[in-house]
Amino acid sequence: MLSRSAQGLYWMGRYLERAQHLCRLLQLQTAALVDRPVQEIYFGWSRIYISVNRLPPGGSLGLTASDDGSFEEDFTLADSYTLADDLTFERSNPGSVWSCFAMARENARQTRNCVSAEMWSHLNLVYLRLQGRDIQDIWATSPESFYTQTTNEINTLIGVAAATMYRDAGWHFLQLGRFIERAQLAVSLFQAQLATEVHFEESSEADWTSLLRAYHALEVYNRSYSVDVQPNQVLDLLATDPLLPDSLCQSLDVVGAQLDAIGPGPNAESSGATRRLAGRLGSLIYYDWPDLEDREQALQDLAAFCRDLHTLITTTYFDYQVDASPVS
Amino acid sequence: MNFDEYQLDDDVYDEMFLPDGTPREHSQDLYELLCQLSSEELANIQDRVTRSFSNEGITFTVYGDEEAEERIIPIDSLPRVLSNTEWQEIEAGLTQRISALNSFLEDVYGRVGSNDPYGEPRIVHDGVIPVDMVRGCPQYRVEMRGFSAPHGTWVAICGTDIVRTNDGFRVLEDNLRVPSGVSYMLANREAVKKSYRRLYRRSRVREIEHYGQVLQTTLRELAPGGQSDPTIVLLTPGVYNSAFYEHIFLAREIGAELVEGRDLLVNNGFVYMRTTTGLRRVDVVYRRVDDDFLDPLVFRPDSLLGVPGLLHAYKLGNVALVNAPGTGVADDKSMYAYVPDMIRYYLSEEPILANVETYLCRRREDLEYTLDNLQDMVVKRVGESGGYGMLVGPHASPQEREEYAEQLRADPAGFISQPVLALSRAPCFIDGRFEPRHVDLRPFVLHGRETRIVPGAFCRVALRRGSLVVNSSQGGGGKDFWVVED
């Protein structure tokens, strides 16, 4: 497969995953606005902004303490409107849902001869629909249902892709992009969870419950552990449960499987290095994590490995060196 | 909806109606159907057709100051209908024309039949075309001198603009470089036929959807060494090109990789593309990049769109380039005037399709005629296309005409002029009514080792009332075009 097409599909996968991840977090966050305490809402916003490594508009979250709390309540809603806009529709924010989705579509457009017609058609429809929305309009009705709908649309898109795409290298690069992105996003969200906790000096059980919800894992957690939520157990579940579709180990398994399916690139050495690094990532979760005391350090290692893996994939399959002389 | 308000003009051929207002025979069915449909139903059809274009992302990109904007070409949902007999005349004329044009290009550049490869072309030697018209043409590629195109095929893909007047069909322009619009021919058909299911079936419209197969066959015929399963790529300037949608579309249709210059490289005279498993040989390049940008080692050195060494590989016969570089010398606006002579000279036949009467302002008497009759002429710059740099005499103010006349006097050879043509009109559904609009036709001719023409065309419409300019960059739109069995 043409390197540039493979790269386009890989990035399309990454951007789609990013858009969907953010939508899911915003879905929970806007749902929380209805009835959750101010502190928890701020925890949520802070977690998102730290995980995407972005400063909120204005530079910081306006955490003002007032005695009776009413002043704060008003501002929580106003701030949330601005923050949701910044993360959803802001064109100048390259990480907003809009920007990610537009980038996913742009990559699909450029590699359109490699994606199925059904998939392109659906992707384009979602794009056109998103283009017609703005924060005022979704805030006026139910922001939550907008995020639910968009999440569902992306899920449908992935389903359409799975149902219609030819399983050649293009499909595997698309999957590879999605799942590397998923692993990276999970790692940075876990890191953000811990960092926010430090920042707020305390966290409530609810802050961990919402993290479980983000991964559709609350019920599983209650069943496997207890209704009493323990931070370390939450991280263990989200990192190591092989049955949880979004768990870290699940994502890394898929990454390894895609690399196996793709096979080596033109350079044996860097192909080998790529596959070995993916294996090392998996073993960190499977064999090291359960015995770890310092999960923070492990998360740091995982984040660094994921970045390295991305670089290796790029140099192995997309931007490899060639010696050629144009004229004989 | 009825046609009571629809206006006919004796000087203008109407595609649907005879001068007395009765429908032409091959348009009878369409006419009856349109009369039965209500204005709401027609509006729904129009809406559905338009929506299918934006939903499928059939767009061209306009780059403004800030954001790039994707637009769709406005499509009128009423098809233009032609009888098969009329089509056959066009088909024969186009076949004849591409044959003469390829002979001309071989004569201009090639060494076949000549002892002196750097001597004059035969047609120049025999006094049919002046030598400076050929060698002085900006599109003449001296780098191609002494090269013979494989199978004599310089132009394998051509999009010819044809108009109709009360005197019959006329060729307005041969597009022999990188003609575009064929994706609209196919997309218009896809969108429109769904809206007229029964009529479409009953009318026995000739199919065009095999265009992709025919194009693939043509490209395969040109593969070096007669390989049966060559690797074909479509070379695009990239996503910023306004025809990018078409490039994607065609790559899909013919099962070719869509590549940019940076995906290809030349090593030891062979062309390769960069794939995830290493370099892979390329046999045929259907290029949608202009000559100038094709190979920075030979043409413009600042080109980032091309492939260094591509022309070298082509001349070695290791790769096919479609169309060949240098074909622009034959579709230059002043060379156009000589195509009927080329047909007589190379084929010893009379042209089946006539040209539009053309005045070459490089000739003193033609310049004078043009200047004296500016209010009745269309004047075009030789090097421009897409409807730019053009003066439509009757629509220009006296001051505009005077300014243009000055440019003309300063550089007569840079201009040609033609009488204003009464382009035929076809009914369109505009603002809830049937209104006549001027139309033209761009059929696509394919020629590998033989000529093949799919019975269809991109029909362009000047959507502004009274306008004669059909270019999509100038307020033009499209229509589906049906050839129906008699």
Side-chain angles (χ1 to χ4, degrees), chain A residues 48-50 52-61 83 86-87 93:
Chain A
I48 296 178
Y49 272 95
I50 293 176
V52 300
N53 195 17
R54 177 176 169 85
L55 281 178
S60 68
L61 291 164
L83 297 175
D86 181 53
L87 292 172
N93 172 7

Side-chain angles (χ1 to χ4, degrees), chain B residues 136-278:
Chain B
C137 171
Q139 298 300 324
Y140 176 74
R141 295 279 173 251
V142 71
E143 298 83 358
M144 300 310 292
R145 224 152 84 164
F147 178 78
S148 279
H151 316 291
T153 300
W154 290 79
V155 178
I157 301 162
C158 145
T160 309
D161 292 339
I162 296 177
V163 298
R164 175 188 255 181
T165 66
N166 271 331
D167 302 326
F169 294 111
R170 292 274 184 280
V171 173
L172 190 60
E173 204 168 276
D174 303 285
N175 294 289
L176 308 176
R177 298 172 226 182
V178 284
S180 62
V182 74
S183 58
Y184 290 104
M185 166 179 95
L186 295 162
N188 290 354
R189 175 65 58 86
E190 241 349 87
V192 169
K193 75 176 173 191
K194 288 181 199 149
S195 302
Y196 302 97
R197 291 168 193 278
R198 287 185 54 207
L199 173 70
Y200 187 80
R201 181 164 280 280
R202 207 176 51 219
S203 303
R204 295 194 294 150
V205 181
R206 292 190 62 191
E207 281 304 334
I208 56 170
E209 62 185 26
H210 56 292
Y211 178 82
Q213 289 160 316
V214 180
L215 177 57
Q216 192 193 52
T217 307
T218 302
L219 294 171
R220 284 187 167 179
E221 281 180 352
L222 296 170
Q227 292 179 67
S228 57
D229 190 19
T231 300
I232 301 173
V233 299
L234 193 155
L235 177 63
T236 171
V239 63
Y240 298 108
N241 188 275
S242 61
F244 184 68
Y245 165 74
E246 176 156 304
H247 305 161
I248 301 165
F249 178 89
L250 288 175
R252 277 189 89 109
E253 286 281 309
I254 61 177
E257 287 287 358
L258 181 65
V259 302
E260 294 179 18
R262 59 194 159 116
D263 299 322
L264 298 183
L265 58 93
V266 177
N267 190 24
N268 285 321
F270 288 91
V271 181
Y272 297 89
M273 65 176 161
R274 181 189 278 274
T275 76
T276 54
T277 49

Side-chain angles (χ1 to χ4, degrees), chain B residues 289-310:
Chain B
V289 172
D290 289 335
D291 283 2
D292 275 344
F293 297 96
L294 208 48
D295 181 348
L297 296 184
V298 182
F299 302 118
R300 275 178 63 160
D302 60 339
S303 168
L304 299 173
L305 305 174
V307 186
L310 186 58

Side-chain angles (χ1 to χ4, degrees), chain A residues 169 172-173 256-267 271-272 274-275 316-317, chain B residues 276-277:
Chain A
H172 296 298
F173 276 106
Q258 301 310 317
L259 285 171
D260 287 342
I262 290 164
N267 180 317
S271 307
T274 309
R275 191 61 193 89
T316 302
Y317 298 105
Chain B
T276 54
T277 49

Side-chain angles (χ1 to χ4, degrees), chain A residues 1-4 6 105-106 109 112-113 115 117 120-121 124-125 128 173 265-266 317 320 322 324-326 328, chain B residues 54-57 70 239 245 248 252 256 258-260 262-263 265-268 273-276 278-279 308 312:
Chain A
M1 143 160 268
L2 195 68
S3 290
R4 193 173 43 78
R105 176 186 179 264
E106 189 53 32
R109 194 162 83 91
R112 218 169 120 183
N113 49 335
V115 301
W120 164 255
S121 193
N124 198 43
L125 277 176
L128 292 174
F173 276 106
Y317 298 105
Y320 52 84
V322 182
S325 52
S328 53
Chain B
S54 51
N55 286 355
E56 291 300 316
E70 285 178 43
V239 63
Y245 165 74
I248 301 165
R252 277 189 89 109
L258 181 65
V259 302
E260 294 179 18
R262 59 194 159 116
D263 299 322
L265 58 93
V266 177
N267 190 24
N268 285 321
M273 65 176 161
R274 181 189 278 274
T275 76
T276 54
L279 299 183
H312 174 69

